[in-house]
């Protein structure tokens, strides 16, 4: 008897990875647009063009899908930042790239920050979401601290600069400006947010704009 043909595992793995990514991208978009409460398994299944059972098979519950989406967004952001960091000629250029990415990366400010603002709002009500967001924020903060410390160690900023304190202030400004820009408050938009963050970095780190590349 001829044994039954088996599907290629590589093809199956590739299809599974593509499906998971598609689901997580649509879940992310729904959260940014409708909030976490609007991100039901049925809504995601409809948007992603797959069955409810397929989502439940890969992610279990709605909370499992939500946590996987936060991890997906976090991993994508850190990977993109690492790419930008590797391409930067020095730590100051890397910091400028990080600040630019904090405003808009591959996504618009509304799409990127729409998601994270909703995650922040949900965190106090859901301990698992809070833990997932906190892990992301710790990694995000470490990017600032490490980059500023590298700039100080390279003699590009004064030795008196405290990377922890500078990172705290820059992240506080980033989050606050993002909420303002996402809501259209105070006339804040992406360009205003970007200019304000760069000006704050210049002041905090005692940078000389005349010595930076145009």
């Amino acid at each position: 008897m001829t044994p039954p043909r088996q599907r290629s595992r590589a093809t199956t793995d590739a299809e599974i990875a593509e499906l998971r990514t598609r689901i997580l991208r649509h879940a992310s978009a729904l959260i940014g647009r409708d909030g976490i409460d609007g991100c039901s398994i049925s809504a995601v299944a409809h948007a992603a063009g797959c069955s409810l059972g397929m989502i439940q098979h890969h992610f279990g519950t709605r909370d499992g899908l939500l946590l996987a989406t936060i991890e997906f967004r976090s991993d994508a952001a850190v990977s993109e930042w690492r790419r930008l960091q590797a391409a930067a000629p020095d730590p100051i250029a890397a910091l400028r790239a990080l600040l630019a990415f904090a405003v808009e990366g591959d996504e618009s400010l509304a799409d990127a920050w729409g998601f994270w603002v909703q995650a922040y709002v949900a965190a106090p009500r859901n301990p698992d979401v809070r833990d997932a967001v906190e892990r992301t924020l710790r990694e995000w903060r470490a990017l600032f601290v490490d980059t500023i410390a590298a700039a100080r160690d390279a003699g590009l900023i004064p030795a008196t600069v405290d990377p922890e304190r500078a990172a705290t202030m820059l992240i506080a400004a980033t989050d606050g400006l993002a909420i303002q820009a996402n809501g259209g408050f105070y006339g804040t938009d992406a360009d205003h947010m970007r200019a304000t963050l760069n000006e704050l970095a210049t002041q905090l780190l005692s940078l000389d704009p005349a010595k930076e590349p145009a």
Side-chain angles (χ1 to χ4, degrees):
M1 177 182 294
T2 303
R5 292 184 60 187
Q6 294 183 349
R7 298 183 65 188
S8 166
R9 180 175 177 80
T11 300
T12 301
D13 288 347
E15 289 174 350
I16 291 173
E18 190 279 333
L19 174 63
R20 285 179 60 88
T21 297
R22 187 168 80 246
I23 290 170
L24 292 170
R25 283 176 176 164
H26 282 287
S28 173
L30 282 170
I31 290 170
R33 189 190 70 193
D34 299 332
I36 285 177
D37 291 341
C39 182
S40 65
I41 290 181
S42 60
V44 175
H46 178 75
C50 65
S51 67
L52 276 69
M54 188 64 70
I55 294 179
Q56 291 168 334
H57 173 74
H58 288 288
F59 301 100
T61 64
R62 175 179 172 276
D63 282 351
L65 174 61
L66 173 58
L67 296 176
T69 304
I70 293 173
E71 183 177 352
F72 171 74
R73 291 298 300 256
S74 176
D75 290 346
V78 172
S79 294
E80 176 62 11
W81 159 238
R82 294 300 184 193
R83 185 189 68 77
L84 294 171
Q85 183 184 46
D90 60 64
I92 296 301
L95 179 62
R96 296 296 191 193
L98 177 57
L99 292 173
F101 180 70
V103 180
E104 289 182 316
D106 294 335
E107 297 178 299
S108 68
L109 184 148
D111 289 339
W113 280 100
F115 173 86
W116 287 112
V117 167
Q118 293 296 333
Y120 290 175
V121 169
R125 305 195 305 267
N126 186 320
D128 290 334
V129 170
R130 184 189 181 283
D131 290 345
V133 171
E134 185 176 24
R135 287 194 298 272
T136 297
L137 294 180
R138 282 200 299 264
E139 191 161 13
W140 178 240
R141 187 176 188 278
L143 297 176
F144 281 88
V145 173
D146 293 348
T147 305
I148 295 169
R152 184 191 61 185
D153 295 345
L156 299 174
I157 59 176
T160 54
V161 171
D162 179 354
E164 296 279 351
R165 178 174 178 273
T168 295
M169 297 179 74
L170 283 171
I171 291 173
T174 299
D175 288 349
L177 287 167
I179 290 172
Q180 292 176 19
N182 195 60
F185 305 128
Y186 303 122
T188 304
D189 58 15
D191 289 339
H192 177 265
M193 179 179 174
R194 189 179 298 107
T196 302
L197 289 175
N198 277 302
E199 181 179 358
L200 178 59
T202 296
Q203 294 177 4
L204 284 174
L205 307 180
S206 300
L207 297 172
D208 183 354
K211 294 182 179 180
E212 293 189 64

